[in-house]
Amino acid sequence: MTTTTTATTAAPTAVGTAHTRVEGRDKVTGAARYAGEVPLAGLTHGWLAVSTIARGRIRAINTAAVLAMPGVVAVLHHGNAQTLNSDYTSMMGKPDPALQVFQHDRVPYLGWPVALVIAETSEQAREAAESLVVEYDEEPHDVAFSADRPDAFIPEPADASEKKKGDLANEFAASAFVVDSEYTTPEEYHHPLEPHAATAYWENGRLEIIDSNQSSMLVAQELAKLFSLDPTAVRVRAEHVGGAFGAKICRPHQVAAALAATFLQRPVRLILTRRQMFSLIGYRSATAQRVRLGADADGRLRALQHEGWNQTSTIHDFVERSADVARAMYEADAHHTVSRLVRLDVPTPTFVRAPGEAPGSFALECALDELAEKCGVDPIALRARNEPEVGPISGLPFSSRRLLTCFEEGARRFGWADRDPRPGVRREGRWLLGTGTAAASFPTLAGPSTATVTAEADGTFTVRITAADVGTGARTALTLVAADALEVAPERVNVRIGDSDFGQAWIAGGSAGTRSWSWAVSLAGRELREKLALGGTIPPQGITVRSDSKAALEALPKRERHAFGAQFAEVAVDVATGEVRVRRMLGIFAAGRIINPLTARGQFVGGMIWGLSMALHEEGVRDAASGGQVGADLAGYHVAANADVPLVEADWIDDPDEQDPVGIKGIGEVGIVGAAAAVANAVWHATGTRHRHLPIRPDRVLTAGTASA
């Protein structure tokens, strides 16, 4: 059957209109299948056995008793596993040696995978894995992180880790006011509701992976390189993902599942336990930060120095670039920002929502609040006085910078003008009340992506792109973008994602996913619309246009591209118990064109709540004796619960990126940035006491005391 094409009828603009999730019904009815739920014939189940020491060597793995247990099919370990390739570079850079699963007898940290037990059922695999006896030659370990360690170093490339401008010493000497403060944040964990899961099997000579990830393309490329396969010999699918936040890239469990499927020539499913996730999927490193600010009598910055330290593993360097946030925020005659690493016997940290910016903004924005107090200047006015015209370090013009507009709108809606600047003066019974504010920023990023759009014979359109909807609503956003590019109603668009066979596309991370994918989808959609406008018939196989955004991205002029925001918080502090309760939060953002207001507001609010959780609750504590996490579960690791979440409002101002075909900047990360600082600054305003170490626990409030206690 063939259909005669007609010019598409212009529909009302879909982008910018609230739209419920296109996959929402499938999710709430259970029709949407996640990585651990897809049925397969002959499926076996793997269960990881992980190290019980933090440093040393495996002396022996006693498999005989386990292999005799009911249902056990095999035990994989460094003595019988396939050799993997380690000499390659991927889109993420040099591979993390943690992906070299079962390749040697070294143990670099507690929770390192030492064996995989495969059985007919998950219960049999778990029982056997927990019965497996592994003998070790244990060595002394070191997990003590601090900024004063003599072995701290500036990681390569040094020009990315350290930036300098001006004469810092002279500018500090000439400053009327100086703030010199140290801040710390603990290890923080980004555990999605859906645990990490992968199912691996071979079909028609191809390694097939059903996965939960942020980039099926990235995982496919890593596995192809690890197993020395042609890239076309690996297919990774992740149709539905129950949260990611930086955790779901290529991890040891996908490699272990692929090793097992290759070893057995049967499908193998491997799902991590919550406890295993504390050592195998990464985390936000603890940070120590020193911020020094020097200002004239009127609060204009002469000198800005931001130093950051974070821990990493002994096998792979990961930099939590907390100092980088200062490079685009405030003008100063002299700038110095630097990141340093401390190698310890701990798992390698990784990207966690707003990596660098979230902990970095806590330190920088609290230091700005301290400077405002010293200068006797309103915190918002102080930021306005130090607003840069171009990038403070790069010297590049901003694509747009509406930070002050965010503050103006936020101050109006929050009632900032009525604020008494004196700390510790507002009280309701035993509760001290305070308000605080902080700025937010996150870089606007985009990566080259390909997409295909097909005009089907039935009058619908199919978009195929290797995107990942990690709960953000990306599938729905791309539906709206495609509808506008094609000038049709969203109901005529079907978006298919999460399949590496669809081609190269950027990762869902760094607030770059939707921007990168929309660029490719809009290019393909517009070209297809123009082709259809010429008339003719649509054959049964449809008419397909393929796009590649690489050339368009390379042609972009160099700019400082960022999303910005202003965060506000009101807290109440119990002088008797030290409890801090956030009463209300407001965030106003300038984050490009908003594709779907319904899901966008959820992204902003979710980030702000995470910032609240970061300020008051979240704290990974590492046990010096074992080298592992204390309370490695969601009972011992506290996060904000419903009772902790007050009235949280998020809104935005018009701020489209004029050089983006859709006007997008990205919103996934900026909501968390500055939120913890706004809460901490509000606690100071309530109590008159500064809290420079997160989380602000009741015991710390009581120990520090309050000005009005």
Side-chain angles (χ1 to χ4, degrees), residues 70 78 82 96 154 198 228 236 257 269 283 286 292 296 380 408 441 501 516 533 543 554 596 603 614 625 651 690:
H78 71 277
Q82 174 184 347
D96 186 340
I154 298 175
S228 300
V236 177
R269 175 166 294 156
Y283 58 99
R292 298 173 67 208
D296 288 342
I380 296 177
E408 290 166 4
S441 73
D501 274 1
S516 303
I543 298 174
E554 290 177 346
N596 185 357
Q603 283 294 293
M614 178 180 177
D651 211 338
R690 293 283 178 190

Side-chain angles (χ1 to χ4, degrees), residues 299-343:
R300 188 186 68 83
L301 285 171
R302 299 182 67 102
L304 189 161
Q305 183 177 29
H306 194 162
E307 300 174 273
W309 290 259
N310 74 271
Q311 69 193 40
T312 192
S313 69
T314 58
I315 62 171
H316 192 61
D317 289 348
F318 180 85
V319 187
E320 181 74 25
R321 297 190 178 278
S322 54
D324 285 14
V325 68
R327 295 176 182 174
M329 285 306 294
Y330 303 110
E331 185 55 75
D333 297 310
H335 259 268
H336 178 219
T337 57
V338 62
S339 297
R340 297 184 178 91
L341 285 179
V342 176
R343 291 190 179 122

Side-chain angles (χ1 to χ4, degrees), residues 228-417:
S228 300
L229 297 171
D230 188 277
T232 62
V234 182
R235 182 189 186 192
V236 177
R237 287 173 287 163
E239 185 179 1
H240 296 287
V241 181
F245 314 113
K248 288 182 176 175
I249 49 178
C250 200
R251 297 295 182 199
H253 69 289
Q254 295 132 324
V255 183
L259 281 169
T262 304
F263 184 81
L264 292 176
Q265 290 300 301
R266 287 182 63 182
V268 178
R269 175 166 294 156
L270 175 54
I271 302 175
L272 297 183
T273 68
R274 189 66 63 181
R275 181 170 290 272
Q276 288 171 349
M277 287 166 63
F278 274 84
S279 62
L280 294 179
I281 70 166
Y283 58 99
R284 197 194 305 277
S285 168
T287 73
Q289 301 175 61
R290 183 188 183 192
V291 180
R292 298 173 67 208
L293 304 175
D296 288 342
D298 62 357
R300 188 186 68 83
L301 285 171
R302 299 182 67 102
L304 189 161
Q305 183 177 29
H306 194 162
E307 300 174 273
W309 290 259
N310 74 271
Q311 69 193 40
T312 192
S313 69
T314 58
I315 62 171
H316 192 61
D317 289 348
F318 180 85
V319 187
E320 181 74 25
R321 297 190 178 278
S322 54
D324 285 14
V325 68
R327 295 176 182 174
M329 285 306 294
Y330 303 110
E331 185 55 75
D333 297 310
H335 259 268
H336 178 219
T337 57
V338 62
S339 297
R340 297 184 178 91
L341 285 179
V342 176
R343 291 190 179 122
L344 299 172
D345 300 312
V346 298
T348 308
T350 193
F351 306 99
V352 179
R353 196 173 193 174
E357 274 78 8
S361 68
F362 162 66
L364 180 63
E365 294 299 313
C366 285
L368 261 289
D369 206 66
E370 294 190 43
L371 181 63
E373 178 195 0
K374 279 195 172 188
C375 296
V377 176
D378 177 82
I380 296 177
L382 182 76
R383 287 166 173 82
R385 292 179 192 182
N386 293 287
E387 181 74 355
E389 294 184 3
V390 296
I393 297 296
S394 69
L396 294 172
F398 288 93
S399 60
S400 67
R401 183 181 171 105
R402 303 197 66 196
L403 176 60
L404 295 186
T405 307
C406 292
F407 271 115
E408 290 166 4
E409 176 64 12
R412 182 188 66 79
R413 291 175 54 169
F414 196 74
W416 189 262

Side-chain angles (χ1 to χ4, degrees), residues 341-565:
L341 285 179
V342 176
R343 291 190 179 122
L344 299 172
D345 300 312
V346 298
T348 308
T350 193
F351 306 99
V352 179
R353 196 173 193 174
E357 274 78 8
S361 68
F362 162 66
L364 180 63
E365 294 299 313
C366 285
L368 261 289
D369 206 66
E370 294 190 43
L371 181 63
E373 178 195 0
K374 279 195 172 188
C375 296
V377 176
D378 177 82
I380 296 177
L382 182 76
R383 287 166 173 82
R385 292 179 192 182
N386 293 287
E387 181 74 355
E389 294 184 3
V390 296
I393 297 296
S394 69
L396 294 172
F398 288 93
S399 60
S400 67
R401 183 181 171 105
R402 303 197 66 196
L403 176 60
L404 295 186
T405 307
C406 292
F407 271 115
E408 290 166 4
E409 176 64 12
R412 182 188 66 79
R413 291 175 54 169
F414 196 74
W416 189 262
D418 299 328
R419 177 184 191 257
D420 187 329
R422 296 173 298 165
V425 297
R426 289 179 61 203
R427 189 162 190 156
E428 288 181 1
R430 71 176 193 267
W431 296 95
L432 292 171
L433 307 182
T435 53
T437 191
S441 73
F442 195 82
T444 297
L445 308 172
S449 301
T450 60
T452 62
V453 181
T454 301
E456 307 288 0
D458 63 1
T460 64
F461 298 85
T462 302
V463 176
R464 292 176 177 86
I465 185 167
T466 312
D469 191 334
V470 295
T472 58
R475 185 188 272 103
T476 307
L478 293 176
T479 300
L480 304 182
V481 169
D484 277 4
L486 293 162
E487 295 185 354
V488 300
E491 290 71 25
R492 293 175 62 187
V493 177
N494 175 39
V495 174
R496 295 184 58 193
I497 63 172
D499 189 333
S500 62
D501 274 1
F502 293 160
Q504 176 71 41
W506 202 246
I507 188 172
S511 286
T514 299
R515 183 172 192 248
S516 303
W517 308 323
S518 294
W519 203 305
V521 168
S522 63
L523 288 176
R526 291 172 186 177
E527 183 180 340
L528 179 59
R529 186 188 72 219
E530 292 169 1
K531 181 177 285 192
L532 294 177
L534 298 175
T537 59
I538 299 178
Q541 71 271 23
I543 298 174
T544 298
V545 168
R546 183 176 186 85
S547 69
D548 188 336
S549 64
K550 182 178 180 181
L553 290 173
E554 290 177 346
L556 281 174
K558 290 187 177 181
R559 295 286 188 272
E560 283 278 1
R561 291 184 169 85
H562 300 263
F564 293 99

